[in-house]
Structures are given as C-alpha cells and as structure tokens.
Amino acid sequence: MSGHANTYVPKSRLAKWFESRLPLVGLMHSSFVSFPVPRNLNYFWTFGAILIMMLGLQIVTGVWLAMHYDPSADKAFNSVEHIMRDVNYGWLLRYAHANGASMFFVAVYIHIFRNLYYGSYKAPREVLYILGVIIYLLMMATAFLGYTLPWGQMSYWGATVITNILAAIPVVGDTIQSLLWGGYSVGSPTLNRFFSLHYLLPFMIAGVVVLHVWALHVVGQNNPTGIPIKSGKDAVAFTPYATVKDVFAAVVFMLFFAYWIFYQPGYLGHADNYIPANPAVTPAHIVPEWYFLPFYAILRAVPDKLGGVILMFGAVLILAFAPWLDTSRVRSSNYRPIYRQFFWLFVIVCVVLGWLGAKPPEGGYVIASQICTFYYFAHFLIVMPLVGLFETPTALPGSILESVTGPGKQIESGSGMPVGAAAAPSSKG
Amino acid sequence: MPGASDLANNVADSVPAQTGPEGTKRDFLFIATGAALAVGTAALAWPFVASMAPDAETVAAGAPLEVDLTPIQEGQIITVFWRGKLIFVRNRTDKEVKDSEAVQLSDLIDPAPDSARVKEGHAKWLVVYGNCTHLGCVPIGHSGQYDGWSCPCHGSVFDSAGRVRRGPAPTNLPIPPYAFTSDTKIRIGDEGAGKAVA
Ligand code: HEM
Ligand code: FES
C-alpha cells in the first residue's frame, strides 16, 4: 500500500484519535478511493469485483444453508430435500448457492483468460498472479467438497473418483486417502469432514483474497495496452470511476445469475444427484461439474493412472509458471500479432477439452483429448517461450492517455490524477 | 516522533555483535530452541492427523461376514458389503472357468493365473472387491469382451477372474481375505482357521 499519496485527512477529533492508533480508514481510502486506476480499463477489469461479490454471496448462502443441513450419511440427502421443500425460501438459498458456484467459476475463468490475454501475469505482477492461482486451487477444492454434501449419486461417486485420484500419489497416496475417508471407503465419516472443510476453505480464500488485493495495490493494475501508468493523466481515481463501473458490471452479472436461479436452476447440475447415494451402483455416465470438465478430459486422455493424475494436476500448476515461460517484453496481446492467434487457439482448445470431458471415454474422443492435452501443455512450454523470442510486436502507444485520445492530442484538465501517483511501482522489476 | 520500527532498529543496533564463546552459546540456544519447537509442533500435529484415521467403531464394523452360497445361481454375481467396501461373489460357469484358465499370462496387464484368483478346489467361486482399481467406480457385470466386467467410468475391462484386461485400471480387482467354512459357505474377513483380519 506504499507508493501513492494517502490523501485521507481525518477531520473530527475521534477520527484523528482512531487514525493515529490504527490507520484503517486511511488504508481503505488509499485502496478504494484515491487509488489510481488506468483510464483505459475495459469491462474485463470488472470481474475482480464480481468475484469478491460472488465469494461474499457463497459465504452468506452457505452459512444459511448450514443452519438446516445435516452432514451425516443417512440424513444429508433428506436434509437437502427438506431445505428445498420445507424451509422458507430454502429453494432460493440452495439454488443461489449451487448456481452461485457455477457463476463464481464463470467469473474466474473470464478473469484468468483476461490475465493471459493482457499479459497481466508478467513482471511486476508475478506474486499477485500466483496468489490468484492459489485462490483458483482453493475454489476447486471448495466446490468439489460442496458437491459431495447433498449425498446423491453424483456426490458419492464424484467423491469416490477424486479420492481415488489422490491415492495414485506415490508413497503417501494411500495414507492420504484413508485420512480423507476415515474408513475403508467413502462414507459417513468422509461426509462429516468434507462438510467441516467445505465450511473452512471459503474463509481461507477470503484471506488469500486480502493478500491478492494487497499485492494489486502495491504493483498497480495492468491495462489493455500493458504499458504502465507514466503520468497522472493516464489514471483516474478508483472512486467514483472504478467503483461505479464495478457496481454496474456486478448488477449486470447478477441479472445473468438470476436467470439461472429462476429459469434454469437445475440445468448446470446432474439429474443423477437427485438419487440418494448408493455404494453398490455407479451411474452409467459419471461426469464432474462443467467447470472441471477440461481437467477431467486431460485425466482420461492418458491410459495410465499415475500419468493421468500427474497431467491433470500439472495442467493447473503450470499456470503458476506462466510469468517465466513467457519471454516477450510486451505484455498485451493487442500488440502481439502472432501470440494473439495462439492465445485464441488456446481458448478454443480449453473449450474443446471441456466438451470432450463430458463425452464417453472411447474411440475418437480419446484421441481428440490426447491432441488437445498436447496442445494445452505445448502452449505453455513451447509457444509461450518461443513466440516471445521470434515475434515482432506492433508499435506500442506512447502512453495510456495516447491510446485513448490518439497520438499527440492533449486532454482538457479535469479527471486526471495527481502526477506521480502509483506510477513508480508498476515499472519495477 | 519515532515509529515503533525505528525503535526496533535502534535496539538491534545497540546490541554489539557477539563473538567468541558467547557466540557459540547463543548458537546452541538457537538450535536447541529450534529443535524443541520442531519436536513440539510434530507432537502437537500428531493427534490432529491421527484423529482422521478410521476410528475404532469403523474398524470394529469389520467383523467377519458369513455368506451363504447356495442361493447364487450358476453365472450369477451377488454383491455384499464388508467394512463398507463392496464385494462381488460370482458363481462362474464352467465355460468361464475354462476360458479364464486358458489365458496366456503374457496377455495380461497384471499377470496372475486363474488358480491364484480362487481358493483351491472352489474354482467356480470368484470373490473380489467390487471397485474398479482405476478410480473406484463399480464395474458392470457380464459385460466387456471377456465375460467379466466393464467399468462405466473410464472404460477399464476385467475378465471373469477379475483380472484387468484393458486400462486405465492398473491392477486386477483385489481379493478380500476370505475362507470356505463349508462347501456352501464363506467367511469374508477371515483368512483361515478363525483368524480375523483387522
Ligand atoms: C467458495 C465458496 C463456496 C463454493 C464455491 C461452494 C460450492 C458448493 C457447491 C458446488 C455445493 C453443492 C450444491 C448442490 O449441488 O446442492 C455446495 C453445497 C453446500 N455448501 Fe457451499 N460453497 C461455498 C461456500 C460455502 C460456505 C462458506 C458454507 C458455510 C457453511 C457452505 C455451505 C454449504 C452447504 C451446507 C451445502 C449443502 C447444501 C446443498 O447442497 O445445497 N458453502 N457448496
Ligand atoms: S474407475 Fe473404472 S475405469 Fe476409471
């Protein structure tokens, strides 16, 4: 939170007394009011705020669901039906929570691809970006744990398949599996501890989000040009400009969210999960939730248990290495004519992997999964390092302001920021 | 007014660097404190981790299970649960037994002769755990090209001796501890003469 001027000046005696003991209001002010925001941000930059909103909504709906939910194997399924039928607005809480998880992932995927397109992972934002990857991992763990709670057929078999994946880890795998199960198979002890952890992890996410925002406010926001803020004219104040835009985007996102809750509440789930868990029968077609499908396709592309597991985890972890795999000096793909095409190819490959993850693991689907899995990794390990070395970027604008107003034009004074604010940190590293 | 961190710097500066015997004494204290901390942390973590292992009640539910074989028709597969785990008991037809015995070991992913999959003198009866050795789904009986099982999840195929014939499953369906107590009864969870398996 260093670097930019803290323009908050406490006025009342109480405010002065408090501020000299804990400068909390000043911190909030410098982070969310006077914080300089590049003036050329597009709507892809509103998803951070949307994600914070979704985390808050998941925690609120979750805590309220937990008031009625019973995490024992013989009662869990019925308690969820009880929420749906008997509890006042229980249907709303549950549909908001179940679809909220999907919306959370919609937002996080847009957010992640935004970073990949605009090179936001590059110096000096590596730590900020890696904290994001950690949040993503925690989100996946949380959603997986939550999905077991209704204790339907998909819950049970999803939990079985994923805990068996962990058993493939050499040496310690079996121990980890038995500690997760608390028995010899997925059962009541498993459900109990999954509930406990499902309650815990979102608060850990909230903690990492604080670090993420802190890191953001040290290095400053990237922007569609990828060039740093050079003068106050490149920036506007967070409040009102970013605040209002974020709130507007959040409202539009809520409309999208509301469509799912009120018109398609079951579309993103699986009908099999309305059949109580049965350890003797696996549903004919088990697939994970849509947001895990690309990784599921990678798992199944490899005809070897350990190999599949390594590639699946590798597919997530490789994200963390992007800052060092990308050799280009230019951040934004807007100025990278060759890389930009590979980027869109990568997006298509991810979508196709998601589609393949929902198909039965046979014949052409497996071959297609293998080809896409190869490209997925090649994008990071071959394309990112090589294109950066050989590509000639197009000319960058002289400044963020110039990218908005056109070269040479001046802007009438007014909405700019005090010169020098936050310009320094983003050119570090 | 100096902030707390300035004061801290002053404090650190005012302590002269230690050399000679004092230095080694301080090193010793550092290492001793560190070691005590590490051991203490591990000792504290242990009960937390151990509490997640299968508890006494779950383990006790593993008392041996008696299964009467008389109602199982030739060709039929029944399922039972022991210690919460699914087990298939299959009454194999003569053809299934013969086909299985004729398989070349070199054709197998996890080589095992048919005789190692059954109890001596009871070649008709196959008793195996019912979860796929890939990721634990329940394979569907009487399906796949080897008259055995095929897994709906990722396509593993097992033969009528429960041996894996097509991946991704890496190993054969494991055999639970069991013994014949008479020609028509088995005890699961009991390897031999009344010896229970924990
Ligand atoms: C990162 C935030 C969270 C995510 C992504 C998430 C995700 C999920 C998912 C996918 C389900 C299954 C929904 C279904 O199909 O029915 C679920 C269920 C549940 N979650 Fe969460 N959750 C989050 C936070 C929380 C929190 C903070 C609580 C607080 C206790 C909570 C409590 C519950 C309960 C009680 C259920 C079972 C009821 C049900 O299935 O609808 N969740 N969660
Ligand atoms: S669980 Fe049977 S093939 Fe994967």
Side-chain angles (χ1 to χ4, degrees):
Chain A
M1 316 255 160
S2 61
H4 41 88
N6 176 0
T7 52
Y8 170 70
V9 186
K11 293 202 180 70
S12 71
R13 276 188 62 198
L14 177 65
K16 281 185 190 139
W17 179 88
F18 189 78
E19 198 66 5
S20 60
R21 282 157 180 79
L22 181 67
L24 186 68
V25 185
L27 180 70
M28 289 295 145
H29 189 273
S30 67
S31 301
F32 301 110
V33 180
S34 66
F35 186 69
V37 175
R39 68 186 315 141
N40 60 339
L41 296 188
N42 58 34
Y43 272 99
F44 287 112
W45 266 265
T46 59
F47 281 87
I50 289 171
L51 283 163
I52 291 181
M53 171 184 78
M54 288 313 300
L55 178 62
L57 281 175
Q58 286 304 96
I59 290 180
V60 171
T61 50
V63 168
W64 256 257
L65 283 170
M67 296 178 190
H68 308 279
Y69 172 75
D70 185 338
S72 64
D74 46 356
K75 300 232 179 74
F77 185 88
N78 287 340
S79 78
V80 171
E81 285 311 301
H82 162 77
I83 291 172
M84 294 296 288
R85 291 152 200 260
D86 303 339
V87 175
N88 292 336
Y89 293 102
W91 60 272
L92 180 60
L93 292 174
R94 172 159 188 250
Y95 281 153
H97 195 77
N99 288 286
S102 277
M103 295 303 112
F104 204 170
F105 278 93
V106 167
V108 88
Y109 283 132
I110 294 175
H111 193 70
I112 292 174
F113 281 114
R114 187 278 316 261
N115 295 331
L116 293 177
Y117 183 85
Y118 291 110
S120 302
Y121 48 85
K122 294 163 79 81
R125 298 187 181 80
E126 304 93 322
V127 171
L128 168 61
Y129 170 77
I130 288 171
L131 287 167
V133 175
I134 292 171
I135 294 171
Y136 176 47
L137 278 169
L138 288 171
M139 272 177 70
M140 292 204 280
T142 308
F144 158 68
L145 294 167
Y147 195 61
T148 59
L149 301 186
W151 211 238
Q153 274 289 68
M154 282 296 179
S155 299
Y156 184 88
W157 290 102
T160 298
V161 167
I162 302 292
T163 48
N164 272 294
I165 287 180
L166 297 174
I169 300 170
V171 189
V172 292
D174 286 334
T175 314
I176 294 179
Q177 188 186 43
S178 130
L179 293 181
L180 281 175
W181 282 352
Y184 304 100
S185 61
V186 173
S188 210
T190 324
L191 179 58
N192 266 284
R193 63 196 59 186
F194 277 18
F195 179 50
S196 173
L197 295 173
H198 182 68
Y199 209 133
L200 169 70
L201 287 194
F203 295 93
M204 293 181 60
I205 294 178
V208 184
V209 168
V210 170
L211 296 180
H212 191 69
V213 173
W214 185 6
L216 172 71
H217 287 208
V218 171
V219 294
Q221 280 171 292
N222 190 24
N223 65 81
T225 65
I227 57 178
I229 294 175
K230 290 176 184 159
S231 77
K233 294 232 172 73
D234 288 340
V236 291
F238 191 97
T239 301
Y241 297 95
T243 328
V244 169
K245 190 170 174 176
D246 283 348
V247 169
F248 175 68
V251 169
V252 173
F253 193 81
M254 288 295 277
L255 289 176
F256 174 66
F257 183 11
Y259 168 77
W260 294 101
I261 298 181
F262 296 110
Y263 293 94
Q264 295 289 351
Y267 184 83
L268 297 168
H270 298 288
D272 278 297
N273 222 22
Y274 285 93
I275 303 169
N278 177 356
V281 184
T282 307
H285 198 61
I286 90 156
V287 278
E289 294 286 270
W290 68 266
Y291 35 82
F292 292 135
L293 286 174
F295 301 107
Y296 197 57
I298 291 175
L299 170 79
R300 299 191 308 182
V302 192
D304 172 74
K305 182 169 169 179
L306 181 60
V309 171
I310 290 174
L311 281 199
M312 188 183 71
F313 282 110
V316 185
L317 294 180
I318 202 165
L319 282 170
F321 295 93
W324 296 278
L325 290 168
D326 184 348
T327 51
S328 173
R329 282 172 303 106
V330 173
R331 292 199 185 92
S332 169
S333 296
N334 279 353
Y335 307 94
R336 302 187 59 190
I338 301 183
Y339 181 75
R340 185 164 64 224
Q341 302 186 24
F342 281 109
F343 170 84
W344 288 113
L345 182 59
F346 177 69
V347 174
I348 291 167
V349 163
C350 290
V351 173
V352 172
L353 273 173
W355 177 72
L356 289 167
K359 294 284 161 200
E362 49 198 32
Y365 295 129
V366 176
I367 297 166
S369 306
Q370 287 165 345
I371 295 170
C372 290
T373 302
F374 174 80
Y375 183 77
Y376 182 96
F377 285 97
H379 181 82
F380 289 97
L381 297 173
I382 302 173
V383 174
M384 272 194 173
L386 288 189
V387 173
L389 292 180
F390 295 118
E391 174 187 53
T392 318
T394 54
L396 291 168
S399 69
I400 291 175
L401 178 65
E402 198 182 294
S403 79
V404 180
T405 60
K409 270 194 215 134
Q410 279 302 316
I411 194 161
E412 302 80 61
S413 59
S415 55
M417 288 291 292
V419 178
S426 31
S427 53
K428 244 188 264 166
Chain B
M1 196 185 86
S5 59
D6 298 329
L7 288 176
N9 285 337
N10 290 339
V11 170
D13 288 347
S14 67
V15 179
Q18 301 273 339
T19 48
E22 253 90 358
T24 33
K25 184 177 167 195
R26 183 171 284 184
D27 286 349
F28 171 78
L29 286 174
F30 264 130
I31 291 167
T33 316
L37 188 70
V39 172
T41 310
L44 202 63
W46 179 255
F48 285 87
V49 175
S51 79
M52 293 178 75
D55 57 39
E57 188 188 339
T58 309
V59 175
L65 174 79
E66 192 123 306
V67 182
D68 181 8
L69 302 178
T70 34
I72 308 173
Q73 304 291 308
E74 192 172 83
Q76 199 185 2
I77 306 171
I78 66 145
T79 57
V80 294
F81 281 94
W82 176 65
R83 291 211 300 204
K85 280 194 85 84
L86 181 67
I87 290 171
F88 292 138
V89 180
R90 178 170 183 154
N91 184 350
R92 303 193 295 172
T93 63
D94 291 337
K95 177 175 180 302
E96 285 165 354
V97 174
K98 272 206 204 77
D99 287 352
S100 174
E101 284 170 345
V103 173
Q104 295 291 310
L105 286 191
S106 55
D107 289 345
L108 295 173
I109 296 173
D110 180 10
D114 189 75
S115 58
R117 307 283 302 159
V118 294
K119 299 285 176 195
E120 214 186 312
H122 303 280
K124 284 179 78 61
W125 295 99
L126 179 77
V127 181
V128 286
Y129 280 117
N131 294 97
C132 180
T133 53
H134 181 224
L135 298 177
C137 293
V138 179
I140 295 160
H142 302 295
S143 70
Q145 59 214 102
Y146 303 96
D147 284 341
W149 286 267
S150 76
C151 185
C153 289
H154 319 99
S156 291
V157 178
F158 300 88
D159 66 14
S160 58
R163 295 173 297 194
V164 59
R165 303 300 291 272
R166 201 181 85 195
T171 56
N172 301 334
L173 295 177
I175 299 169
Y178 76 99
F180 278 84
T181 50
S182 75
D183 269 354
T184 57
K185 272 207 176 81
I186 57 171
R187 257 163 87 83
I188 296 175
D190 222 349
E191 195 63 271
K195 192 171 78 186
V197 175

